[in-house]
Amino acid sequence: MTTWYDEAFRPGSEIKGKWNGRVYVVERLLGAGSNGIVALVRRGSARFALKAGYETVDHQSEINSLLAISLKDNSFKNFLIDADDMIVQGKGISFYVMRYIEGVTLSDFIHKRGQDWIYVIGSNLLRKLTEIHKSGYVFGDLKAENMIVSNYGDVDLIDFGGVTSKGRAIKQLTEVYDRGFWSMGERVAEESYDLFSFAILLLKSLDHRKRFTGFIKTLPQNRELDHLTAIMKENPVAAQLAPFLNKALHGEFRTSEEASIYWRKLLAGKKVAYSTLKLPWLKICFAASLFICGATIYVFWG
Ligand SMILES: Nc1ncnc2c1ncn2[C@@H]1O[C@H](COP(=O)(O)OP(=O)(O)O)[C@@H](O)[C@H]1O
Ligand SMILES: [Mg+2]
């Protein structure tokens, strides 16, 4: 069966905004989740990600949340590019256009580059959460699928469907990342809600045994944080982070800023392998030194 988006998002198709009139050409599909479908599009020589929503009301609320967190002078500021409707098979479908983030999932990144990168990635992710929290919101549905890791451990959050005003009930969640699922707190938009998911996210990506798939099948009364402690005992990176992870899982950080400070302090004293991180700079310095050396020889002989 072909769906509306098979037609609208076929590579080469044009998507024209009904109100703003901008035209986007589809390159390929990037992904589909529970709220929408996302395609890589081109407008002139610029590439963007375009997300079309299944449900207009939810989609509008996602755009509003994104707008709300990008009001402050932070890294979300120019993330939203356009919001409009397109007509597909005679029906109006809302979409929004955002910056295209090139990168990979957290697990792919650490699988390829090594688990030590979690220290840098974690610190960058905490910074992103702090930005959202400072604008009065909570991310809500923090999980591996809703973030993209690029370059040297840069992190971008990409799905704003779960963003909720502080104090309100969490709008959208994913079972194992949800503290309610573990009976570790309410489904209320508090900074500690995101920090719980943050801890799960790290543990899930460090766990070699894929334990999390099994957790979904266990009965609520048998879901215990002790199962997570096992990961912290087994994995050396998780073991280093254990004091932080335990605090986050037990809701002991009031704010993400407080969590960031703890993260930095905890890792400051430890031997963290940043050597891979320094490599690009070494390469640049090496290239620069060759250039200077070449220039000297040239001047000398010239
Ligand atoms: N800005 C973006 N840049 C690159 N890829 C993106 C972007 N936004 C979404 N994606 C891809 O599309 C997938 C689905 O997008 P998402 O917003 O999470 O949809 P849903 O709300 O339906 O879960 C993501 O997991 C990601 O792979
Ligand atoms: Mg998603």
Side-chain angles (χ1 to χ4, degrees):
M1 195 182 85
T2 54
T3 55
W4 62 268
Y5 58 80
D6 285 326
E7 180 188 318
F9 285 173
R10 191 175 296 133
S13 317
E14 282 192 352
I15 291 175
K16 186 172 180 199
K18 183 176 161 191
W19 310 104
N20 299 335
R22 296 193 183 113
V23 177
Y24 301 93
V25 180
V26 176
E27 270 194 18
R28 64 181 161 88
L29 277 187
L30 287 172
S34 46
N35 300 327
I37 177 123
V38 184
L40 172 64
V41 296
R42 198 180 272 284
R43 182 165 172 260
S45 58
R47 294 161 105 194
F48 301 107
L50 183 149
K51 180 170 183 178
Y54 301 129
E55 297 291 337
T56 316
V57 178
D58 290 348
H59 189 75
Q60 193 53 48
S61 123
E62 189 171 329
I63 297 175
N64 292 346
S65 305
L66 182 50
L67 275 173
I69 57 169
S70 56
L71 284 179
K72 292 248 170 88
D73 201 9
N74 58 27
S75 65
F76 298 100
K77 203 170 173 56
N78 299 312
F79 192 79
L80 182 67
I81 314 275
D82 189 13
D84 212 327
D85 292 339
M86 59 172 143
I87 307 291
V88 184
Q89 300 169 343
K91 258 180 68 189
I93 307 262
S94 337
F95 70 86
Y96 71 87
V97 178
M98 61 192 135
R99 233 174 40 222
Y100 168 56
I101 316 288
E102 235 175 322
V104 294
T105 62
L106 174 62
S107 352
D108 283 352
F109 192 95
I110 60 171
H111 184 71
K112 238 167 86 189
R113 313 273 284 270
Q115 293 203 335
D116 281 348
W117 278 86
I118 211 91
Y119 304 120
V120 180
I121 295 167
S123 160
N124 288 338
L125 183 52
L126 283 172
R127 195 164 349 106
K128 286 277 169 179
L129 290 177
T130 305
E131 285 185 342
I132 296 178
H133 295 159
K134 287 212 162 154
S135 31
Y137 289 80
V138 156
F139 189 70
D141 196 12
L142 181 63
K143 58 174 170 178
E145 294 84 347
N146 288 343
M147 60 186 271
I148 295 180
V149 187
S150 49
N151 292 326
Y152 304 111
D154 292 338
V155 176
D156 275 288
L157 292 169
I158 46 160
D159 181 350
F160 302 88
V163 172
T164 312
S165 275
K166 280 186 187 169
R168 307 275 286 270
I170 290 292
K171 235 193 249 170
Q172 189 178 307
L173 55 88
T174 304
E175 280 174 329
V176 291
Y177 294 88
D178 164 44
R179 69 180 178 190
F181 175 86
W182 294 94
S183 311
M184 287 305 289
E186 288 180 77
R187 291 181 174 130
V188 174
E190 292 167 344
E191 300 197 19
S192 54
Y193 186 90
D194 279 346
L195 292 167
F196 182 93
S197 312
F198 174 85
I200 297 285
L201 175 74
L202 300 196
L203 284 167
K204 196 167 182 289
S205 61
L206 293 171
D207 176 33
H208 287 307
R209 293 219 229 149
K210 301 210 183 327
R211 268 175 268 232
F212 283 84
T213 351
F215 293 148
I216 298 174
K217 295 184 199 115
T218 53
L219 294 168
Q221 61 270 29
N222 298 333
R223 280 175 213 144
E224 283 175 17
L225 285 189
D226 284 354
H227 296 122
L228 305 179
T229 319
I231 306 174
M232 293 183 226
K233 286 199 182 117
E234 234 174 64
N235 180 291
V237 176
Q240 272 210 335
L241 294 171
F244 178 97
L245 295 171
N246 282 320
K247 274 170 96 64
L249 292 172
H250 288 92
E252 286 170 25
F253 293 121
R254 247 184 353 97
T255 66
S256 49
E257 202 164 26
E258 192 184 314
S260 282
I261 295 169
Y262 189 89
W263 181 273
R264 258 178 277 138
K265 271 200 193 137
L266 177 68
L267 299 173
K270 311 260 181 193
K271 242 186 91 217
V272 176
Y274 279 114
S275 51
T276 33
L277 232 184
K278 288 183 186 142
L279 197 63
W281 292 107
L282 280 180
K283 277 186 188 157
I284 292 166
C285 293
F286 183 58
S289 67
L290 280 182
F291 175 75
I292 293 164
C293 173
T296 318
I297 293 170
Y298 180 76
V299 170
F300 188 75
W301 290 106

